[in-house]
Amino acid sequence: MIRRLVSNNYDEYGVKESYETIINDSENSELLAGFQMEVNIPYESKLTLVTYYKGGWGNEFGKCNFNIDKEKEDFYIENTRGRSSHDYHPFLILEFEDGNKALLGYAWSGNWYFHISKQGRILVGQTKKMFTKMLEPKQELKTPSVLIAFCNKEEKRSLVSHLHQFLRRYWIPKNSASRELMVEWNHWWTYEDVEINEEVFLRNVDVAHELGIELCTLDAGWYGDTKTHWSKQQGDWKLVNKEKFPNGLRYLADYVYDRGMKFGIWLEPEALGFYSKLRKDNQVIEALIDGNAYESPYICLGNPDGARLIYKFITELVEETNADFIKLDFNLDPEYGCNRIDHGHGQGDGLFQHYREYYRILDAVRERFPNLIIENCASGGLRCDFGMLQHVHTTFLSDVDVTKHSLESFYELSHFVPPTAILHFAWSETREYEDGTYVFPSFVLKEGTDENAIRYTLRAAMLHQMGICRNLPDMQEEYRDIFKEQIAFYKSEVRQYLLEGQLFHLVRKDGMICIQLQLKDKSLVFCFYYGENPMKPFWLKLVALDESEHFCLTFTDKGSSMSGKGKQFMEQGVYLDGFRGLTSEILVIERKKG
């Protein structure tokens, strides 16, 4: 086997993409049992600290540190659930002895491993249990890419911004619609599939228009029959539930369009509902493991019939509804993938072929519908990686949107992914189940709800594409006014910072998160507090200001302001106090003219 390392350098951004081409140069078939690539970081200093992230439903981006010198063993993490971010996320922050940092991400949506030796040798790849393939003579295999962002210690504040700029320019797809970062309303957590119907959806659309929302999305629950759970009927997409939606899907879409908004719809194209008619009639497309069905079945895309069918599902639904936005979900773990031998793939590369084909389908859909926005979702954020982000416009942060979790997850993911490619809801109003429980705590608006807490939840959703999931028609008028106000601020002020500016991570400690958005000579600093006790006052140091210029700083809620040189705000900082409960504040920093 010949292994050729290919590297594409983007020196303007300090980013390098690397992958290997593996070629069978023999005259016989050869088994490729796993593969790995060594990652070279252009620093002479010793690697000392690795930051990595645990995954899991509602537990995305659990931050962990591994000290190379203090630990006795090598650093090793792997994902074997078949979705790239279920066990761990495929992202690392690497810190070196001289203060330099690097960011590393694996561009793959399935299984993978990271291995870093005590000497600092970095290996990325897939074990033989994750991947085996018989290569025919002269056959080639391209491995998934690794992206590395690096800089010197004097520029480490710009490391994240440079990576974001690279991804926006060269990696993540975009179109005129995706660049609008539309405010979305989605029905899911408030109604799920049980309480959503045509009347409920349209009543919410009317209020969404009043509040300034721009995109209304119909999530799961629109297909199949009412008696069977939504997660057991995927694939029967042609069987629109006429009991709930008697006028069909296009009627809903046209109702949204008539009010000047965009229409979005949810689909889980890879899933194969256990009780679906599709599964009963098309057994050849089902993924099997050792001849047995998965507990949650799915369509193997290594099979050409399955791939053609999924492309058909997506394109026909978009054409039927004239959708502007499609949320593509994947709520199951394929683990090591299909090992059928009658699908067109081998016993050990079914999952590899599945994802290669899924990427191709996504590209084909984008080519057919150049203005369609495609969102990536997988039980929330369980398939979030640079591989998927090369083929979709945005990725969903997490199913759970309790603001503390949203802020902490966003703080970490935004080291790697620009906010323009992240979508999440403000803390949702979740549906109460028959036993009095909720899927996660509900943020209910009732008489006496703290208005500061409402702004806190909405402002957290402004850090990326803003989503809202709640019962809009029953919202009290006083709270509607707050939603209008905050949505208008996002649209008129914040959105341009996300699209054109830079993001800097300032503070995450003791229940406090502060993030600075900068656009030219103006900054917005978002401060959030969710600690159990009143916050201890501290000096918040800003970044990326011109030291010699004079700036005016205004607290939007307090209404107070101060002025000073950029050097003062960066070296001494801004004194923050008075935060208690669920609280937020936005600091507006503008360069003084004249």
Side-chain angles (χ1 to χ4, degrees):
M1 298 273 188
I2 297 175
R3 286 173 165 80
R4 292 175 178 165
L5 177 65
V6 180
S7 293
N8 298 313
N9 295 301
Y10 301 86
D11 295 335
E12 179 183 357
Y13 303 102
V15 173
K16 179 170 71 173
E17 176 199 7
S18 297
Y19 60 88
E20 283 191 340
T21 300
I22 302 173
I23 308 169
N24 178 10
D25 61 336
S26 75
E27 297 181 357
N28 303 308
S29 300
E30 296 283 346
L31 181 67
L32 178 62
F35 52 82
Q36 67 179 21
M37 180 177 69
E38 184 169 1
V39 177
N40 296 306
I41 309 291
Y43 298 151
E44 296 181 359
S45 181
K46 181 182 178 182
L47 175 63
T48 57
L49 186 68
V50 179
T51 298
Y52 64 102
Y53 302 96
K54 292 183 178 179
W57 187 87
N59 291 299
E60 291 90 344
F61 286 94
K63 184 178 179 182
C64 305
N65 290 320
F66 185 95
N67 190 305
I68 297 289
D69 293 331
K70 293 181 180 179
E71 299 292 341
K72 295 181 180 180
E73 305 294 331
D74 288 358
F75 171 79
Y76 183 88
I77 59 173
E78 66 177 13
N79 185 82
T80 61
R81 304 288 284 275
R83 291 186 291 177
S84 58
S85 304
H86 199 151
D87 291 322
Y88 297 93
H89 292 271
F91 302 107
L92 299 176
I93 300 177
L94 307 174
E95 298 187 40
F96 295 80
E97 201 168 41
D98 63 357
N100 279 328
K101 285 188 176 183
L103 304 173
L104 185 151
Y106 195 41
W108 187 243
S109 303
N111 298 320
W112 52 268
Y113 73 82
F114 290 154
H115 178 195
I116 302 177
S117 71
K118 297 290 290 180
Q119 293 73 38
R121 187 180 181 218
I122 304 171
L123 300 172
V124 182
Q126 298 181 28
T127 67
K128 63 181 181 181
K129 192 171 182 180
M130 300 173 186
F131 174 90
T132 59
K133 183 178 179 64
M134 190 67 70
L135 292 185
E136 300 303 320
K138 311 305 179 185
Q139 187 176 0
E140 298 184 7
L141 178 89
K142 178 185 174 183
T143 67
S145 295
V146 175
L147 288 185
I148 314 156
F150 46 85
C151 65
N152 58 48
K153 59 185 177 181
E154 288 78 20
E155 297 177 332
K156 63 182 180 181
R157 272 292 183 189
S158 300
L159 177 64
V160 169
S161 293
H162 288 163
L163 176 59
H164 286 182
Q165 291 168 29
F166 159 78
L167 292 169
R168 288 196 298 245
R169 181 172 180 182
Y170 291 110
W171 198 264
I172 300 172
K174 57 181 177 292
N175 56 34
S176 58
S178 69
R179 284 185 55 81
E180 292 182 32
L181 294 184
M182 292 179 281
V183 181
E184 181 198 19
W185 173 81
N186 181 301
H187 86 254
W188 182 250
W189 287 125
T190 310
Y191 301 103
E192 297 190 10
D193 61 319
V194 177
E195 298 179 16
I196 190 64
N197 57 43
E198 181 175 291
E199 180 186 0
V200 169
F201 187 83
L202 299 184
R203 287 179 62 228
N204 275 276
V205 168
D206 288 336
V207 183
H209 176 253
E210 175 192 332
L211 297 179
I213 290 170
E214 300 156 302
L215 167 68
C216 294
T217 300
L218 180 66
D219 211 287
W222 54 264
Y223 53 91
D225 63 73
T226 305
K227 295 179 182 179
T228 308
H229 194 268
W230 67 271
S231 66
K232 303 297 182 183
Q233 302 183 80
Q234 304 99 317
D236 291 345
W237 309 117
K238 281 294 184 181
L239 302 177
V240 175
N241 189 321
K242 288 300 183 71
E243 180 182 343
K244 291 183 175 183
F245 303 98
N247 291 298
L249 300 180
R250 186 56 182 260
Y251 177 78
L252 303 181
D254 288 343
Y255 192 92
V256 172
Y257 298 141
D258 287 345
R259 280 143 189 81
M261 296 180 288
K262 306 294 186 181
F263 178 75
I265 194 161
W266 173 98
L267 186 70
E268 191 176 5
E270 298 158 90
L272 185 60
F274 198 90
Y275 300 119
S276 65
K277 186 177 185 298
L278 178 68
R279 182 172 184 246
K280 180 181 178 181
D281 296 344
N282 294 271
Q283 296 180 11
V284 69
I285 64 175
E286 182 173 352
L288 301 178
I289 183 72
D290 298 332
N292 299 312
Y294 281 81
E295 183 178 346
S296 296
Y298 74 98
I299 298 172
C300 175
L301 301 187
N303 174 264
D305 291 336
R308 283 191 289 269
L309 198 58
I310 284 186
Y311 175 76
K312 183 180 178 183
F313 287 158
I314 299 172
T315 55
E316 287 187 350
L317 182 62
V318 173
E319 287 179 339
E320 177 187 355
T321 61
N322 196 26
D324 305 283
F325 177 96
I326 190 164
K327 182 185 186 82
L328 298 179
D329 211 341
F330 193 47
N331 292 299
L332 59 97
D333 287 327
E335 298 178 335
Y336 292 105
C338 176
N339 64 3
R340 292 176 67 160
I341 59 174
D342 62 345
H343 264 190
H345 59 74
Q347 284 186 295
D349 68 335
L351 189 66
F352 190 89
Q353 293 300 109
H354 180 94
Y355 280 122
R356 286 287 199 220
E357 192 62 24
Y358 189 53
Y359 293 160
R360 187 197 66 78
I361 290 169
L362 292 172
D363 292 344
V365 171
R366 289 188 358 259
E367 183 177 358
R368 183 163 174 177
F369 304 105
N371 293 315
L372 176 70
I373 302 171
I374 302 176
E375 175 198 344
N376 166 59
C377 181
S379 305
L382 301 190
R383 195 165 64 173
C384 175
D385 56 83
F386 285 143
M388 190 62 70
L389 282 165
Q390 205 171 10
H391 306 278
V392 300
H393 301 98
T394 191
T395 193
F396 199 57
L397 183 62
S398 174
D399 270 357
V400 175
D401 54 47
V402 175
T403 303
K404 175 181 182 293
H405 171 66
S406 299
L407 287 169
E408 292 177 348
S409 298
F410 174 80
Y411 194 90
E412 301 307 329
L413 177 57
S414 58
H415 280 83
F416 305 92
V417 179
T420 48
I422 299 172
L423 169 62
H424 207 211
F425 304 149
W427 191 348
S428 294
E429 177 184 0
T430 52
R431 190 172 77 87
E432 183 178 359
Y433 300 139
E434 291 181 359
D435 61 359
T437 63
Y438 299 84
V439 63
F440 57 82
S442 179
F443 188 72
V444 180
L445 301 181
K446 54 188 177 181
E447 186 175 352
T449 300
D450 185 356
E451 293 185 3
N452 290 323
I454 299 173
R455 292 188 179 90
Y456 156 86
T457 67
L458 292 171
R459 287 170 174 174
M462 293 183 193
L463 297 172
H464 41 69
Q465 185 175 358
M466 186 179 192
I468 292 169
C469 184
R470 61 177 49 252
N471 180 341
L472 301 181
D474 289 351
M475 189 188 300
Q476 297 96 318
E477 196 64 38
E478 59 187 296
Y479 299 143
R480 289 190 188 189
D481 290 340
I482 297 174
F483 272 67
K484 287 180 189 176
E485 168 196 79
Q486 296 300 306
I487 289 171
F489 181 75
Y490 169 79
K491 290 162 64 175
S492 65
E493 296 292 331
V494 181
R495 205 152 49 181
Q496 61 180 329
Y497 283 82
L498 302 180
L499 288 166
E500 302 172 16
Q502 300 181 79
L503 182 149
F504 298 98
H505 301 86
L506 301 183
V507 168
R508 180 190 169 184
K509 66 175 184 179
D510 302 327
M512 190 82 188
I513 281 182
C514 299
I515 289 175
Q516 180 176 338
L517 303 177
Q518 185 185 47
L519 180 61
K520 298 178 182 177
D521 55 2
K522 186 175 178 180
S523 292
L524 299 178
V525 179
F526 285 77
C527 302
F528 301 92
Y529 184 69
Y530 47 84
E532 294 182 0
N533 300 311
M535 184 197 77
K536 295 180 180 179
F538 73 102
W539 290 89
L540 175 66
K541 295 182 179 180
L542 308 183
V543 299
L545 303 178
D546 189 319
E547 289 189 353
S548 60
E549 292 286 350
H550 284 82
F551 292 86
C552 179
L553 183 150
T554 303
F555 291 80
T556 57
D557 290 344
K558 291 182 179 179
S560 59
S561 62
M562 63 182 71
S563 61
K565 284 191 173 182
K567 184 176 182 180
Q568 173 190 336
F569 289 131
M570 291 191 294
E571 292 184 356
Q572 180 181 343
V574 181
Y575 190 69
L576 295 183
D577 67 346
F579 285 70
R580 64 181 65 233
L582 303 180
T583 313
S584 65
E585 178 64 277
I586 300 175
L587 314 182
V588 180
I589 300 101
E590 297 181 88
R591 182 173 62 85
K592 283 189 171 182
K593 297 180 181 180

